[in-house]
Amino acid sequence: MSFVRVSGVGSYVPNKVVTNDDLSKIVDTSDEWISSRTGIKKRRIATSENTSDLAGKAALKALKNSAVKAEEIDLIIVATTTSDSFIPSMACKVQREIGAKNAVSFDIAAACSGLMYAMSIARTYIIAGIYKKALVIGSEVLSKVLNWEDRNTCVLFGDGAGAMILEASDLDGIPFMDIGSDPTKYEVLTSNGLALSNPFTECKADAAHYVEMNGKEVFKFAVNIIEKSINDILEKENLTIEDIDYIVCHQANYRIIDYVAKSFKGHREKFYMNLDEYGNTSSATIGIALDNMNDLGLLKKGQKIILVGFGGGLTWGSALVNW
Ligand code: ACO
């Protein structure tokens, strides 16, 4: 049996920057409202690249960062809810794009928790000795499924991709992971897929795939699950919050993270945030945050980092990473 470590991170966001002021020209909103309610100042919006393009570029950066060659990758998992094709999968497109000719590739969907789910699957395969080097990616072009006339949702999201390389290792680089789902409240965060449409049904095709959300319910769920996930990791790994260097939560909303940070008094600075720059990029946020932290020189060997994702489903996932 082998351990697993994170050996590289990468991310990619489209060039087009859309500020809160830009949005105030499209819907009845303001920089003041968006900044004070969410912490978001701007986001990137895809104008020519789709979900698989963003995923491929994030993957190339993660490969470079880890010094792993594309041919060495034996597993590729892309987490997304905004695929640019049903067939082939985004993972197969990435595999072709980067030339990972020895990999098996597939997609998974767990909304904003997607990257944590993908990590958990890859970690399990590696621990079982089935694969040695995995590429996991969260990639989203949420701008395709936003109702640009609905100020309640369109101001919250952005497009982007985050990637990680996981490798078999003698060091226990991911000693703990947990994923979970509770569909009893699935209706608080939804985006419809294709409706029934064939010559034998009376159902009428419904073209609206818009993200719809009960913000207050999501807020309550998020603060509870983040706090619980952190406390579970500390208890199960026999650690205290003092032992942790960074906590990287799904970047949905400044107020969610700030609320949780108040429960860990004196450790506010450990909660990394970059949602002012990118908004909520769903399954991509944690990968983008880790890559930004790496570029800023914040991540150092031996550090302990807690990751917590949460999202539609409702779903959640957490990990303790020894960097
Ligand atoms: N600009 C101006 N006014 C707005 C906007 C906007 N963009 N959006 C909503 N409003 C208005 C509403 O219409 C409402 O007006 P009314 O009182 O006249 O009806 C008023 O602001 C208050 O609306 P609320 O929904 O009560 O606003 P709230 O303070 O709850 O903030 C928010 C909304 C930011 C979504 C909040 O509920 C929240 O933080 N929720 C967490 C969920 C979240 O962040 N989701 C992200 C995606 S989900 C995920 O990633 C898992």
Side-chain angles (χ1 to χ4, degrees):
M1 203 177 90
S2 162
F3 291 126
V4 185
R5 73 184 177 104
V6 178
S7 66
V9 285
S11 69
Y12 181 79
V13 290
N15 285 332
K16 172 81 179 162
V17 176
V18 174
T19 64
N20 292 345
D21 285 335
D22 294 332
L23 288 182
S24 70
K25 293 172 193 135
I26 302 174
V27 286
D28 182 14
T29 190
S30 63
D31 176 45
E32 195 283 318
W33 195 97
I34 303 171
S35 301
S36 63
R37 296 299 215 289
T38 71
I40 298 165
K41 297 269 182 205
K42 45 187 136 156
R43 72 284 294 141
R44 302 297 181 93
I45 298 294
T47 55
S48 60
E49 299 151 311
N50 214 324
T51 306
S52 59
D53 303 308
L54 307 190
K57 286 173 180 162
L60 287 172
K61 187 171 177 198
L63 285 172
K64 195 168 169 204
N65 183 246
S66 68
V68 168
K69 294 191 186 71
E71 314 84 77
E72 295 175 63
I73 296 290
D74 41 23
L75 172 66
I76 301 176
I77 308 175
V78 175
T80 186
T81 49
T82 53
S83 300
D84 47 63
S85 56
F86 294 130
I87 306 169
S89 67
M90 299 300 91
C92 280
K93 285 187 167 176
V94 169
Q95 180 180 2
R96 188 172 83 153
E97 172 67 22
I98 66 174
K101 59 182 185 202
N102 298 310
V104 58
S105 306
F106 57 88
D107 292 355
I108 57 129
C112 304
S113 313
L115 188 65
M116 304 311 295
Y117 273 57
M119 253 182 104
S120 173
I121 297 165
R123 173 179 178 267
T124 306
Y125 269 123
I126 294 171
I127 289 172
I130 297 168
Y131 299 116
K132 287 199 162 47
K133 294 186 187 187
L135 165 64
V136 295
I137 308 168
S139 183
E140 306 283 0
V141 177
L142 282 155
S143 54
K144 294 184 290 192
V145 290
L146 295 177
N147 178 353
W148 289 96
E149 292 177 1
D150 176 15
R151 66 179 183 174
N152 291 290
T153 50
C154 76
V155 304
L156 301 175
F157 299 94
D159 301 331
M164 277 186 217
I165 308 288
L166 305 189
E167 280 191 52
S169 163
D170 294 337
L171 297 170
D172 195 359
I174 313 177
F176 177 92
M177 275 212 83
D178 174 54
I179 54 173
S181 48
D182 173 9
T184 57
K185 286 203 173 158
Y186 83 87
E187 71 286 349
V188 306
L189 186 50
T190 58
S191 162
N192 289 330
L194 297 181
L196 284 178
S197 170
N198 64 59
F200 311 102
T201 181
E202 286 173 12
C203 293
K204 293 223 164 49
D206 175 4
H209 307 296
Y210 298 143
V211 171
E212 290 186 14
M213 180 188 72
N214 177 335
K216 288 191 172 64
E217 283 295 325
V218 174
F219 194 102
K220 274 195 269 176
F221 164 69
V223 294
N224 285 329
I225 205 68
I226 298 173
E227 193 173 331
K228 182 178 179 316
S229 298
I230 296 170
N231 283 326
D232 281 355
I233 289 175
L234 297 179
E235 193 187 318
K236 291 194 172 116
E237 293 299 309
N238 208 12
L239 299 167
T240 67
I241 192 72
E242 281 73 22
D243 298 315
I244 304 300
D245 295 284
Y246 287 107
I247 298 162
V248 182
C249 301
H250 168 48
Q251 307 281 303
N253 188 313
Y254 167 84
R255 290 193 308 164
I256 291 175
I257 298 174
D258 199 49
Y259 188 96
V260 175
K262 288 196 177 91
S263 305
F264 298 94
K265 282 194 182 56
H267 298 278
R268 173 71 185 70
E269 77 292 346
K270 293 182 178 174
F271 288 79
Y272 183 77
M273 280 193 253
N274 65 357
L275 54 84
D276 54 332
E277 276 289 317
Y278 303 115
N280 178 350
T281 55
S282 189
S283 64
T285 66
I286 291 175
I288 294 174
L290 284 173
D291 188 45
N292 280 193
M293 292 167 79
N294 195 41
D295 284 347
L296 291 168
L298 298 176
L299 300 180
K300 302 200 167 60
K301 206 164 183 281
Q303 284 177 334
K304 291 190 185 307
I305 303 164
I306 288 178
L307 311 178
V308 188
F310 56 89
L314 297 167
T315 57
W316 63 90
S318 61
L320 175 66
V321 176
N322 290 322
W323 200 254

